[in-house]
C-alpha cells in the first residue's frame, strides 16, 4: 500500500523541473532480437525524434521511461495512467538523424510486466515513452585521462557499453546473469572497445565482491550501476576503504531484488515529497537513504 496521493504524484511528475528536456514519443518496433542469451534487443523508429534536440540524444548515458501494460500497477491510477506501469531503460544505441533507437532488456525470467510485454512483442507494435533523460557518465574524468572503472550487472550493461563507446574507459567489470557459466570476457569485447574486461564471479553482491579484488588508484573515477544492495555495498567500499572523494564515485541502484520498478518509483516520489517539505532535494548522495 502506498501513502502517496494522486495530487502529490502528479505534481511531482508534471513539474517543469521533472519534465525538463523530456519528450513524449512513441517507439514503433521494427525488430526484436538477442544480443546475448540473457539480453534482448528491441529496435525501432521514433517518429518526431528528428525534430527534438539532437544534442540530448548524443549524451553517452540516456534513459527512457516506457509505459507498458500492467492492470494491477499501483502508480498508474494515481497519475492518470490506469493499466500501465512505467519502466526505465537505457538507450543502448540511437541515430538522432535517422530517428532510430535500440534498447537492451535483461531477460530475467520473472513474470513481470516487462517480461510479459517482451514475450508478446512483435515488429509493428508501438510503445509510448518519455525521454531522453541524461544520467551521469564519467566523461570529464575520461577526458582528463584519469583512470575510469565501470562496474555493471546485466541491467547496466547497455549504459556501460554506451559510455565505453563514447569515452576512454580503463577497466570494465561485468556481472552478467550467466556468471555461473564463467563466460569468456572476449565475448563482450565488441561492446567495450579499448577497455580491459573482467567478469565477476557468482555472489549476492557480485560487483562489490569484484571491486574488493581490484587495486583501484586514488585518482580513479568509479561508475557503477546494478542491483541496489550490491551497489550500496560497492559505494561503501569506494567512500570507505578506498577513500575516493564523492566526485569520483558515480553509482546507481537500477533495480532492487524482490521489489518492482513501481515500488522504487513510489518510494522515490514519497521520499522527494518528504525532502521538499524540509527544503531538500533527492540527489545521488541521499538516494540510498530512501527505503525501497
Ligand atoms: C536509469 C536506469 C536505467 C536502466 N537501464 C536498463 C537497461 O538498459 N536494461 C535493463 O534490462 N534494465 C535497465 N534498468 C533496470 C530496469 O528498469 C528494472 O530491471 C525493471 O524493474 C525491470 O522491470 P520488470 O517489469 O521486468 O520487473 P519489476 O516488475 O520491476 O520487478 C519484478 C521482479 O523482477 C526482479 N527484477 C527486476 N529487474 C531485474 C533484473 N535485471 N534481474 C533480475 N531480477 C530483476 C525484481 O527484483 C522483482 O522481484 C534500468 C534502470 C534504471 C533506473
Amino acid at each position: 500500500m502506498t501513502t502517496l496521493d494522486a495530487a502529490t504524484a502528479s505534481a511531482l511528475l508534471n513539474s517543469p523541473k521533472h519534465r525538463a528536456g523530456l519528450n513524449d514519443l512513441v517507439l514503433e518496433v521494427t525488430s526484436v532480437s538477442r544480443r546475448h542469451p540473457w539480453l534482448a534487443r528491441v529496435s525501432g523508429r521514433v517518429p518526431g525524434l528528428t525534430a527534438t534536440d539532437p544534442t540530448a540524444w548524443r549524451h553517452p548515458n540516456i534513459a527512457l521511461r516506457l509505459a507498458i501494460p500492467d492492470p494491477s500497477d499501483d502508480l498508474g491510477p494515481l497519475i492518470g495512467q490506469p493499466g500501465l506501469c512505467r519502466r526505465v531503460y537505457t538507450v543502448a544505441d540511437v541515430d538522432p538523424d535517422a530517428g532510430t533507437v535500440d534498447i537492451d532488456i535483461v531477460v530475467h525470467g520473472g513474470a513481470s510486466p516487462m517480461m510479459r510485454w517482451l514475450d508478446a512483442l512483435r515488429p509493428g507494435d508501438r510503445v509510448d515513452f518519455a525521454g531522453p533523460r541524461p544520467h551521469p557518465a564519467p566523461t570529464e574524468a575520461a577526458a582528463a585521462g584519469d583512470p575510469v572503472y565501470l562496474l555493471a550487472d546485466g541491467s547496466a550493461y547497455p549504459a556501460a557499453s554506451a559510455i565505453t563507446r563514447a569515452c576512454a574507459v580503463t577497466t570494465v567489470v561485468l556481472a552478467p546473469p550467466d556468471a555461473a557459466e564463467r563466460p569468456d570476457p572476449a565475448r563482450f569485447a565488441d561492446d567495450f572497445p579499448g577497455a580491459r574486461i573482467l567478469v565477476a564471479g557468482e555472489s549476492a553482491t557480485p560487483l562489490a565482491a569484484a571491486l574488493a579484488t581490484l587495486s583501484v588508484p586514488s585518482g580513479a573515477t568509479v561508475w557503477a550501476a546494478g542491483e541496489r544492495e550490491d551497489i550500496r555495498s560497492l559505494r561503501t567500499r569506494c567512500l570507505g576503504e578506498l577513500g575516493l572523494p564523492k566526485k569520483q564515485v558515480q553509482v546507481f541502484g537500477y533495480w532492487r531484488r524482490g521489489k518492482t520498478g513501481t515500488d522504487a518509483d513510489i518510494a522515490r516520489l514519497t521520499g522527494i515529497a518528504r525532502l521538499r517539505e524540509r527544503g531538500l532535494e533527492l540527489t545521488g548522495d541521499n538516494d540510498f537513504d530512501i527505503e525501497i
Side-chain angles (χ1 to χ4, degrees):
M1 281 302 283
T2 168
T3 53
L4 187 70
D5 63 79
T8 306
S10 290
L12 288 172
L13 291 173
N14 294 318
S15 69
K17 185 170 181 185
H18 182 81
R19 296 283 314 166
L22 291 184
N23 303 278
D24 291 315
L25 295 166
V26 177
L27 178 72
E28 295 178 351
V29 176
T30 50
S31 71
V32 184
S33 54
R34 285 290 166 110
R35 308 210 60 228
H36 297 289
W38 47 270
L39 194 65
R41 168 153 289 192
V42 175
S43 303
R45 278 186 298 267
V46 179
L49 187 153
T50 53
T52 67
D53 175 8
T55 55
W57 294 96
R58 294 206 167 96
H59 185 276
N61 182 15
I62 50 178
L64 311 177
R65 203 171 262 278
L66 307 178
I68 59 169
D70 182 12
S72 60
D73 188 67
D74 281 342
L75 186 55
L78 289 184
I79 58 173
Q81 296 181 348
L84 293 173
C85 74
R86 298 148 19 109
R87 294 288 185 264
V88 180
Y89 282 83
T90 301
V91 173
D93 215 343
V94 56
D95 183 337
D97 301 320
T100 56
V101 164
D102 297 313
I103 56 173
D104 291 348
I105 299 175
V106 172
V107 183
H108 60 73
S112 66
M114 181 49 82
M115 294 302 100
R116 289 196 299 267
W117 180 77
L118 183 63
D119 253 1
L121 196 62
R122 299 289 176 269
D125 288 349
R126 294 158 59 89
V127 59
D128 292 340
F129 72 86
R133 172 81 78 200
H135 283 263
T139 41
E140 285 177 22
D146 296 340
V148 172
Y149 286 66
L150 306 185
L151 297 101
D153 73 1
S155 71
Y157 184 100
S161 171
I163 290 169
T164 307
R165 284 178 282 128
C167 309
V169 166
T170 322
T171 298
V172 176
V173 179
L174 300 172
D178 64 352
E181 290 161 32
R182 302 199 165 272
D184 180 354
R187 190 196 289 179
F188 306 113
D190 287 352
D191 288 336
F192 301 93
R196 171 176 69 140
I197 304 171
L198 305 171
V199 176
E202 255 193 310
S203 158
T205 53
L207 297 175
L211 181 70
T213 68
L214 295 179
S215 75
V216 178
S218 59
T221 288
V222 174
W223 179 101
E227 200 280 325
R228 184 172 166 92
E229 296 311 298
D230 190 10
I231 300 298
R232 185 198 297 280
S233 160
L234 178 152
R235 177 176 184 268
T236 301
R237 180 168 188 85
C238 286
L239 298 175
E241 289 94 321
L242 293 179
L244 297 179
K246 276 186 180 169
K247 68 176 173 47
Q248 290 170 221
V249 181
Q250 299 181 339
V251 299
F252 316 91
Y254 274 9
W255 60 283
R256 174 147 194 213
R257 197 175 306 286
K259 301 283 180 175
T260 68
T262 302
D263 293 333
D265 281 348
I266 290 175
R268 286 205 174 92
L269 287 169
T270 308
I272 292 170
R274 288 195 185 131
L275 284 167
R276 290 207 178 151
E277 282 166 12
R278 295 160 47 209
L280 302 171
E281 291 292 337
L282 186 66
T283 64
D285 270 351
N286 58 19
D287 184 73
F288 282 96
D289 296 339
I290 290 191
E291 195 172 326
I292 293 177

mmCIF file of all heavy atoms in Angstrom, residues 195-240:
data_model
loop_
_atom_site.group_PDB
_atom_site.id
_atom_site.type_symbol
_atom_site.label_atom_id
_atom_site.label_comp_id
_atom_site.label_asym_id
_atom_site.label_seq_id
_atom_site.Cartn_x
_atom_site.Cartn_y
_atom_site.Cartn_z
ATOM 1 N N ALA A 195 38.761 -1.223 -23.557
ATOM 2 C CA ALA A 195 38.773 -1.423 -22.096
ATOM 3 C C ALA A 195 39.239 -2.844 -21.758
ATOM 4 O O ALA A 195 38.996 -3.783 -22.510
ATOM 5 C CB ALA A 195 37.385 -1.196 -21.519
ATOM 6 N N ARG A 196 39.911 -2.966 -20.591
ATOM 7 C CA ARG A 196 40.166 -4.297 -20.030
ATOM 8 C C ARG A 196 38.837 -4.804 -19.486
ATOM 9 O O ARG A 196 38.136 -4.059 -18.766
ATOM 10 C CB ARG A 196 41.189 -4.166 -18.904
ATOM 11 C CG ARG A 196 41.381 -5.435 -18.092
ATOM 12 C CD ARG A 196 42.482 -5.282 -17.062
ATOM 13 N NE ARG A 196 42.145 -4.367 -15.984
ATOM 14 C CZ ARG A 196 42.452 -4.569 -14.687
ATOM 15 N NH1 ARG A 196 43.102 -5.650 -14.328
ATOM 16 N NH2 ARG A 196 42.141 -3.688 -13.774
ATOM 17 N N ILE A 197 38.461 -6.026 -19.835
ATOM 18 C CA ILE A 197 37.152 -6.550 -19.395
ATOM 19 C C ILE A 197 37.363 -7.684 -18.400
ATOM 20 O O ILE A 197 38.103 -8.636 -18.665
ATOM 21 C CB ILE A 197 36.327 -7.082 -20.593
ATOM 22 C CG1 ILE A 197 36.158 -5.983 -21.653
ATOM 23 C CG2 ILE A 197 34.962 -7.585 -20.130
ATOM 24 C CD1 ILE A 197 35.560 -6.476 -22.957
ATOM 25 N N LEU A 198 36.701 -7.588 -17.247
ATOM 26 C CA LEU A 198 36.732 -8.648 -16.238
ATOM 27 C C LEU A 198 35.295 -9.112 -16.011
ATOM 28 O O LEU A 198 34.361 -8.313 -16.115
ATOM 29 C CB LEU A 198 37.310 -8.122 -14.927
ATOM 30 C CG LEU A 198 38.699 -7.465 -15.008
ATOM 31 C CD1 LEU A 198 39.045 -6.804 -13.681
ATOM 32 C CD2 LEU A 198 39.741 -8.496 -15.399
ATOM 33 N N VAL A 199 35.131 -10.379 -15.690
ATOM 34 C CA VAL A 199 33.787 -10.889 -15.392
ATOM 35 C C VAL A 199 33.741 -11.286 -13.921
ATOM 36 O O VAL A 199 34.587 -12.072 -13.460
ATOM 37 C CB VAL A 199 33.409 -12.062 -16.312
ATOM 38 C CG1 VAL A 199 32.050 -12.633 -15.920
ATOM 39 C CG2 VAL A 199 33.379 -11.614 -17.768
ATOM 40 N N ALA A 200 32.783 -10.729 -13.181
ATOM 41 C CA ALA A 200 32.653 -11.003 -11.748
ATOM 42 C C ALA A 200 32.198 -12.443 -11.525
ATOM 43 O O ALA A 200 31.491 -13.014 -12.357
ATOM 44 C CB ALA A 200 31.648 -10.036 -11.122
ATOM 45 N N GLY A 201 32.569 -13.003 -10.371
ATOM 46 C CA GLY A 201 32.104 -14.339 -10.029
ATOM 47 C C GLY A 201 30.697 -14.293 -9.444
ATOM 48 O O GLY A 201 30.119 -13.219 -9.268
ATOM 49 N N GLU A 202 30.157 -15.477 -9.157
ATOM 50 C CA GLU A 202 28.807 -15.544 -8.589
ATOM 51 C C GLU A 202 28.814 -15.093 -7.138
ATOM 52 O O GLU A 202 29.682 -15.505 -6.351
ATOM 53 C CB GLU A 202 28.313 -16.981 -8.634
ATOM 54 C CG GLU A 202 27.301 -17.229 -9.705
ATOM 55 C CD GLU A 202 26.638 -18.563 -9.480
ATOM 56 O OE1 GLU A 202 27.378 -19.545 -9.286
ATOM 57 O OE2 GLU A 202 25.399 -18.605 -9.483
ATOM 58 N N SER A 203 27.862 -14.247 -6.767
ATOM 59 C CA SER A 203 27.786 -13.743 -5.387
ATOM 60 C C SER A 203 26.452 -13.015 -5.262
ATOM 61 O O SER A 203 25.868 -12.602 -6.262
ATOM 62 C CB SER A 203 28.948 -12.771 -5.154
ATOM 63 O OG SER A 203 28.690 -11.897 -4.089
ATOM 64 N N ALA A 204 25.978 -12.808 -4.023
ATOM 65 C CA ALA A 204 24.768 -11.986 -3.837
ATOM 66 C C ALA A 204 25.078 -10.537 -4.186
ATOM 67 O O ALA A 204 24.194 -9.784 -4.586
ATOM 68 C CB ALA A 204 24.279 -12.100 -2.401
ATOM 69 N N THR A 205 26.344 -10.145 -4.026
ATOM 70 C CA THR A 205 26.766 -8.777 -4.357
ATOM 71 C C THR A 205 28.008 -8.867 -5.256
ATOM 72 O O THR A 205 29.119 -8.544 -4.824
ATOM 73 C CB THR A 205 27.065 -7.980 -3.071
ATOM 74 O OG1 THR A 205 28.006 -8.717 -2.276
ATOM 75 C CG2 THR A 205 25.818 -7.717 -2.254
ATOM 76 N N PRO A 206 27.823 -9.299 -6.527
ATOM 77 C CA PRO A 206 28.988 -9.623 -7.365
ATOM 78 C C PRO A 206 29.872 -8.428 -7.683
ATOM 79 O O PRO A 206 31.095 -8.572 -7.763
ATOM 80 C CB PRO A 206 28.356 -10.183 -8.648
ATOM 81 C CG PRO A 206 26.934 -9.722 -8.644
ATOM 82 C CD PRO A 206 26.548 -9.577 -7.208
ATOM 83 N N LEU A 207 29.290 -7.252 -7.869
ATOM 84 C CA LEU A 207 30.121 -6.105 -8.258
ATOM 85 C C LEU A 207 30.947 -5.626 -7.055
ATOM 86 O O LEU A 207 32.131 -5.302 -7.198
ATOM 87 C CB LEU A 207 29.255 -4.979 -8.824
ATOM 88 C CG LEU A 207 28.504 -5.358 -10.125
ATOM 89 C CD1 LEU A 207 27.577 -4.226 -10.564
ATOM 90 C CD2 LEU A 207 29.492 -5.696 -11.253
ATOM 91 N N ALA A 208 30.323 -5.598 -5.881
ATOM 92 C CA ALA A 208 31.069 -5.202 -4.671
ATOM 93 C C ALA A 208 32.185 -6.200 -4.407
ATOM 94 O O ALA A 208 33.313 -5.818 -4.061
ATOM 95 C CB ALA A 208 30.118 -5.110 -3.478
ATOM 96 N N ALA A 209 31.896 -7.496 -4.590
ATOM 97 C CA ALA A 209 32.928 -8.520 -4.353
ATOM 98 C C ALA A 209 34.064 -8.365 -5.355
ATOM 99 O O ALA A 209 35.242 -8.491 -4.999
ATOM 100 C CB ALA A 209 32.305 -9.916 -4.453
ATOM 101 N N ALA A 210 33.730 -8.073 -6.615
ATOM 102 C CA ALA A 210 34.779 -7.911 -7.634
ATOM 103 C C ALA A 210 35.630 -6.685 -7.329
ATOM 104 O O ALA A 210 36.859 -6.722 -7.464
ATOM 105 C CB ALA A 210 34.148 -7.796 -9.022
ATOM 106 N N LEU A 211 34.984 -5.611 -6.900
ATOM 107 C CA LEU A 211 35.738 -4.380 -6.607
ATOM 108 C C LEU A 211 36.772 -4.638 -5.507
ATOM 109 O O LEU A 211 37.893 -4.114 -5.550
ATOM 110 C CB LEU A 211 34.788 -3.242 -6.195
ATOM 111 C CG LEU A 211 35.472 -1.910 -5.896
ATOM 112 C CD1 LEU A 211 36.029 -1.280 -7.178
ATOM 113 C CD2 LEU A 211 34.510 -0.928 -5.218
ATOM 114 N N ALA A 212 36.386 -5.475 -4.545
ATOM 115 C CA ALA A 212 37.274 -5.748 -3.403
ATOM 116 C C ALA A 212 38.559 -6.442 -3.848
ATOM 117 O O ALA A 212 39.560 -6.418 -3.134
ATOM 118 C CB ALA A 212 36.534 -6.597 -2.367
ATOM 119 N N THR A 213 38.550 -7.058 -5.047
ATOM 120 C CA THR A 213 39.758 -7.759 -5.515
ATOM 121 C C THR A 213 40.631 -6.865 -6.406
ATOM 122 O O THR A 213 41.706 -7.282 -6.825
ATOM 123 C CB THR A 213 39.378 -9.013 -6.346
ATOM 124 O OG1 THR A 213 38.764 -8.571 -7.562
ATOM 125 C CG2 THR A 213 38.433 -9.924 -5.586
ATOM 126 N N LEU A 214 40.164 -5.660 -6.722
ATOM 127 C CA LEU A 214 40.907 -4.782 -7.637
ATOM 128 C C LEU A 214 41.748 -3.786 -6.861
ATOM 129 O O LEU A 214 41.330 -3.323 -5.794
ATOM 130 C CB LEU A 214 39.935 -3.978 -8.510
ATOM 131 C CG LEU A 214 39.070 -4.755 -9.498
ATOM 132 C CD1 LEU A 214 38.162 -3.778 -10.247
ATOM 133 C CD2 LEU A 214 39.949 -5.515 -10.483
ATOM 134 N N SER A 215 42.892 -3.421 -7.419
ATOM 135 C CA SER A 215 43.608 -2.306 -6.794
ATOM 136 C C SER A 215 43.289 -1.064 -7.627
ATOM 137 O O SER A 215 43.700 -0.930 -8.784
ATOM 138 C CB SER A 215 45.098 -2.576 -6.688
ATOM 139 O OG SER A 215 45.720 -2.458 -7.910
ATOM 140 N N VAL A 216 42.482 -0.197 -7.024
ATOM 141 C CA VAL A 216 41.969 0.991 -7.717
ATOM 142 C C VAL A 216 42.823 2.186 -7.295
ATOM 143 O O VAL A 216 42.891 2.494 -6.095
ATOM 144 C CB VAL A 216 40.480 1.228 -7.344
ATOM 145 C CG1 VAL A 216 39.945 2.484 -8.005
ATOM 146 C CG2 VAL A 216 39.641 0.014 -7.734
ATOM 147 N N PRO A 217 43.475 2.866 -8.254
ATOM 148 C CA PRO A 217 44.327 4.000 -7.861
ATOM 149 C C PRO A 217 43.511 5.160 -7.291
ATOM 150 O O PRO A 217 42.321 5.306 -7.605
ATOM 151 C CB PRO A 217 45.013 4.404 -9.172
ATOM 152 C CG PRO A 217 44.261 3.740 -10.261
ATOM 153 C CD PRO A 217 43.477 2.608 -9.692
ATOM 154 N N SER A 218 44.167 6.000 -6.469
ATOM 155 C CA SER A 218 43.424 7.059 -5.761
ATOM 156 C C SER A 218 42.844 8.105 -6.716
ATOM 157 O O SER A 218 41.874 8.773 -6.395
ATOM 158 C CB SER A 218 44.331 7.743 -4.745
ATOM 159 O OG SER A 218 45.444 8.290 -5.420
ATOM 160 N N GLY A 219 43.411 8.213 -7.931
ATOM 161 C CA GLY A 219 42.887 9.202 -8.886
ATOM 162 C C GLY A 219 41.769 8.662 -9.762
ATOM 163 O O GLY A 219 41.289 9.363 -10.667
ATOM 164 N N ALA A 220 41.340 7.420 -9.491
ATOM 165 C CA ALA A 220 40.345 6.794 -10.378
ATOM 166 C C ALA A 220 38.937 7.323 -10.122
ATOM 167 O O ALA A 220 38.602 7.734 -9.013
ATOM 168 C CB ALA A 220 40.359 5.279 -10.174
ATOM 169 N N THR A 221 38.127 7.297 -11.182
ATOM 170 C CA THR A 221 36.684 7.508 -11.033
ATOM 171 C C THR A 221 35.999 6.159 -11.211
ATOM 172 O O THR A 221 36.321 5.403 -12.142
ATOM 173 C CB THR A 221 36.180 8.519 -12.085
ATOM 174 O OG1 THR A 221 36.655 9.812 -11.703
ATOM 175 C CG2 THR A 221 34.659 8.554 -12.150
ATOM 176 N N VAL A 222 35.078 5.862 -10.288
ATOM 177 C CA VAL A 222 34.332 4.604 -10.350
ATOM 178 C C VAL A 222 32.881 4.924 -10.699
ATOM 179 O O VAL A 222 32.220 5.700 -10.002
ATOM 180 C CB VAL A 222 34.392 3.842 -9.004
ATOM 181 C CG1 VAL A 222 33.482 2.613 -9.030
ATOM 182 C CG2 VAL A 222 35.821 3.436 -8.680
ATOM 183 N N TRP A 223 32.402 4.347 -11.803
ATOM 184 C CA TRP A 223 30.983 4.432 -12.191
ATOM 185 C C TRP A 223 30.432 3.022 -12.043
ATOM 186 O O TRP A 223 31.055 2.064 -12.541
ATOM 187 C CB TRP A 223 30.873 4.906 -13.643
ATOM 188 C CG TRP A 223 29.466 5.008 -14.179
ATOM 189 C CD1 TRP A 223 28.723 6.145 -14.322
ATOM 190 C CD2 TRP A 223 28.636 3.938 -14.680
ATOM 191 N NE1 TRP A 223 27.488 5.850 -14.866
ATOM 192 C CE2 TRP A 223 27.407 4.497 -15.093
ATOM 193 C CE3 TRP A 223 28.806 2.562 -14.811
ATOM 194 C CZ2 TRP A 223 26.372 3.754 -15.622
ATOM 195 C CZ3 TRP A 223 27.759 1.795 -15.330
ATOM 196 C CH2 TRP A 223 26.560 2.401 -15.726
ATOM 197 N N ALA A 224 29.312 2.863 -11.371
ATOM 198 C CA ALA A 224 28.747 1.519 -11.200
ATOM 199 C C ALA A 224 27.231 1.595 -11.146
ATOM 200 O O ALA A 224 26.657 2.550 -10.609
ATOM 201 C CB ALA A 224 29.276 0.875 -9.921
ATOM 202 N N ALA A 225 26.585 0.585 -11.714
ATOM 203 C CA ALA A 225 25.126 0.505 -11.631
ATOM 204 C C ALA A 225 24.697 -0.951 -11.678
ATOM 205 O O ALA A 225 25.366 -1.789 -12.278
ATOM 206 C CB ALA A 225 24.481 1.298 -12.772
ATOM 207 N N GLY A 226 23.573 -1.225 -11.021
ATOM 208 C CA GLY A 226 23.065 -2.590 -10.981
ATOM 209 C C GLY A 226 22.121 -2.755 -9.808
ATOM 210 O O GLY A 226 21.447 -1.792 -9.401
ATOM 211 N N GLU A 227 22.109 -3.973 -9.240
ATOM 212 C CA GLU A 227 21.178 -4.262 -8.138
ATOM 213 C C GLU A 227 21.522 -3.364 -6.935
ATOM 214 O O GLU A 227 22.680 -3.214 -6.559
ATOM 215 C CB GLU A 227 21.284 -5.753 -7.784
ATOM 216 C CG GLU A 227 20.083 -6.270 -7.019
ATOM 217 C CD GLU A 227 20.108 -5.941 -5.532
ATOM 218 O OE1 GLU A 227 21.205 -5.928 -4.938
ATOM 219 O OE2 GLU A 227 19.026 -5.686 -4.960
ATOM 220 N N ARG A 228 20.492 -2.790 -6.371
ATOM 221 C CA ARG A 228 20.684 -1.692 -5.410
ATOM 222 C C ARG A 228 21.569 -2.067 -4.205
ATOM 223 O O ARG A 228 22.425 -1.289 -3.795
ATOM 224 C CB ARG A 228 19.302 -1.219 -4.939
ATOM 225 C CG ARG A 228 19.321 -0.007 -4.012
ATOM 226 C CD ARG A 228 17.889 0.445 -3.806
ATOM 227 N NE ARG A 228 17.722 1.369 -2.707
ATOM 228 C CZ ARG A 228 17.766 2.692 -2.797
ATOM 229 N NH1 ARG A 228 18.024 3.253 -3.957
ATOM 230 N NH2 ARG A 228 17.561 3.451 -1.744
ATOM 231 N N GLU A 229 21.370 -3.253 -3.633
ATOM 232 C CA GLU A 229 22.140 -3.588 -2.430
ATOM 233 C C GLU A 229 23.595 -3.913 -2.784
ATOM 234 O O GLU A 229 24.501 -3.678 -1.985
ATOM 235 C CB GLU A 229 21.473 -4.738 -1.666
ATOM 236 C CG GLU A 229 20.089 -4.359 -1.128
ATOM 237 C CD GLU A 229 20.082 -3.017 -0.382
ATOM 238 O OE1 GLU A 229 20.767 -2.900 0.639
ATOM 239 O OE2 GLU A 229 19.390 -2.069 -0.832
ATOM 240 N N ASP A 230 23.815 -4.450 -3.985
ATOM 241 C CA ASP A 230 25.184 -4.665 -4.471
ATOM 242 C C ASP A 230 25.876 -3.303 -4.620
ATOM 243 O O ASP A 230 27.017 -3.106 -4.169
ATOM 244 C CB ASP A 230 25.106 -5.394 -5.827
ATOM 245 C CG ASP A 230 26.457 -5.887 -6.329
ATOM 246 O OD1 ASP A 230 27.433 -5.841 -5.561
ATOM 247 O OD2 ASP A 230 26.531 -6.340 -7.494
ATOM 248 N N ILE A 231 25.165 -2.355 -5.219
ATOM 249 C CA ILE A 231 25.752 -1.032 -5.457
ATOM 250 C C ILE A 231 25.933 -0.288 -4.131
ATOM 251 O O ILE A 231 26.918 0.423 -3.934
ATOM 252 C CB ILE A 231 24.872 -0.217 -6.440
ATOM 253 C CG1 ILE A 231 24.771 -0.964 -7.785
ATOM 254 C CG2 ILE A 231 25.425 1.186 -6.626
ATOM 255 C CD1 ILE A 231 26.091 -1.164 -8.502
ATOM 256 N N ARG A 232 25.006 -0.476 -3.205
ATOM 257 C CA ARG A 232 25.169 0.178 -1.893
ATOM 258 C C ARG A 232 26.488 -0.294 -1.244
ATOM 259 O O ARG A 232 27.264 0.491 -0.715
ATOM 260 C CB ARG A 232 23.988 -0.177 -0.980
ATOM 261 C CG ARG A 232 24.034 0.563 0.368
ATOM 262 C CD ARG A 232 23.131 -0.103 1.395
ATOM 263 N NE ARG A 232 21.725 -0.081 1.033
ATOM 264 C CZ ARG A 232 20.909 0.967 1.189
ATOM 265 N NH1 ARG A 232 21.362 2.089 1.683
ATOM 266 N NH2 ARG A 232 19.640 0.894 0.835
ATOM 267 N N SER A 233 26.715 -1.620 -1.308
ATOM 268 C CA SER A 233 27.906 -2.176 -0.681
ATOM 269 C C SER A 233 29.167 -1.690 -1.409
ATOM 270 O O SER A 233 30.184 -1.334 -0.779
ATOM 271 C CB SER A 233 27.717 -3.691 -0.701
ATOM 272 O OG SER A 233 28.858 -4.353 -0.559
ATOM 273 N N LEU A 234 29.089 -1.618 -2.733
ATOM 274 C CA LEU A 234 30.230 -1.120 -3.528
ATOM 275 C C LEU A 234 30.525 0.350 -3.195
ATOM 276 O O LEU A 234 31.677 0.762 -3.055
ATOM 277 C CB LEU A 234 29.860 -1.297 -5.005
ATOM 278 C CG LEU A 234 30.796 -0.844 -6.105
ATOM 279 C CD1 LEU A 234 30.566 -1.709 -7.353
ATOM 280 C CD2 LEU A 234 30.574 0.601 -6.487
ATOM 281 N N ARG A 235 29.452 1.127 -3.022
ATOM 282 C CA ARG A 235 29.621 2.556 -2.694
ATOM 283 C C ARG A 235 30.327 2.725 -1.341
ATOM 284 O O ARG A 235 31.213 3.558 -1.176
ATOM 285 C CB ARG A 235 28.228 3.214 -2.660
ATOM 286 C CG ARG A 235 28.229 4.687 -2.271
ATOM 287 C CD ARG A 235 26.807 5.234 -2.368
ATOM 288 N NE ARG A 235 26.771 6.655 -2.092
ATOM 289 C CZ ARG A 235 26.561 7.200 -0.911
ATOM 290 N NH1 ARG A 235 26.352 6.405 0.154
ATOM 291 N NH2 ARG A 235 26.546 8.492 -0.777
ATOM 292 N N THR A 236 29.913 1.884 -0.370
ATOM 293 C CA THR A 236 30.528 1.955 0.951
ATOM 294 C C THR A 236 32.033 1.698 0.847
ATOM 295 O O THR A 236 32.838 2.382 1.475
ATOM 296 C CB THR A 236 29.873 0.902 1.884
ATOM 297 O OG1 THR A 236 28.488 1.186 1.939
ATOM 298 C CG2 THR A 236 30.458 0.936 3.285
ATOM 299 N N ARG A 237 32.405 0.729 -0.012
ATOM 300 C CA ARG A 237 33.835 0.430 -0.176
ATOM 301 C C ARG A 237 34.564 1.608 -0.840
ATOM 302 O O ARG A 237 35.661 1.983 -0.418
ATOM 303 C CB ARG A 237 34.003 -0.838 -1.021
ATOM 304 C CG ARG A 237 35.448 -1.179 -1.205
ATOM 305 C CD ARG A 237 35.725 -2.551 -1.779
ATOM 306 N NE ARG A 237 37.166 -2.786 -1.718
ATOM 307 C CZ ARG A 237 37.810 -3.256 -0.662
ATOM 308 N NH1 ARG A 237 37.151 -3.586 0.413
ATOM 309 N NH2 ARG A 237 39.118 -3.417 -0.682
ATOM 310 N N CYS A 238 33.944 2.198 -1.880
ATOM 311 C CA CYS A 238 34.595 3.322 -2.593
ATOM 312 C C CYS A 238 34.867 4.476 -1.632
ATOM 313 O O CYS A 238 35.963 5.049 -1.623
ATOM 314 C CB CYS A 238 33.701 3.830 -3.726
ATOM 315 S SG CYS A 238 33.651 2.736 -5.137
ATOM 316 N N LEU A 239 33.844 4.825 -0.835
ATOM 317 C CA LEU A 239 33.982 6.007 0.025
ATOM 318 C C LEU A 239 34.737 5.679 1.306
ATOM 319 O O LEU A 239 35.351 6.562 1.905
ATOM 320 C CB LEU A 239 32.586 6.567 0.374
ATOM 321 C CG LEU A 239 31.744 7.043 -0.825
ATOM 322 C CD1 LEU A 239 30.356 7.466 -0.376
ATOM 323 C CD2 LEU A 239 32.434 8.181 -1.572
ATOM 324 N N GLY A 240 34.706 4.395 1.703
ATOM 325 C CA GLY A 240 35.365 3.992 2.952
ATOM 326 C C GLY A 240 36.783 3.499 2.699
ATOM 327 O O GLY A 240 37.731 4.282 2.648
#
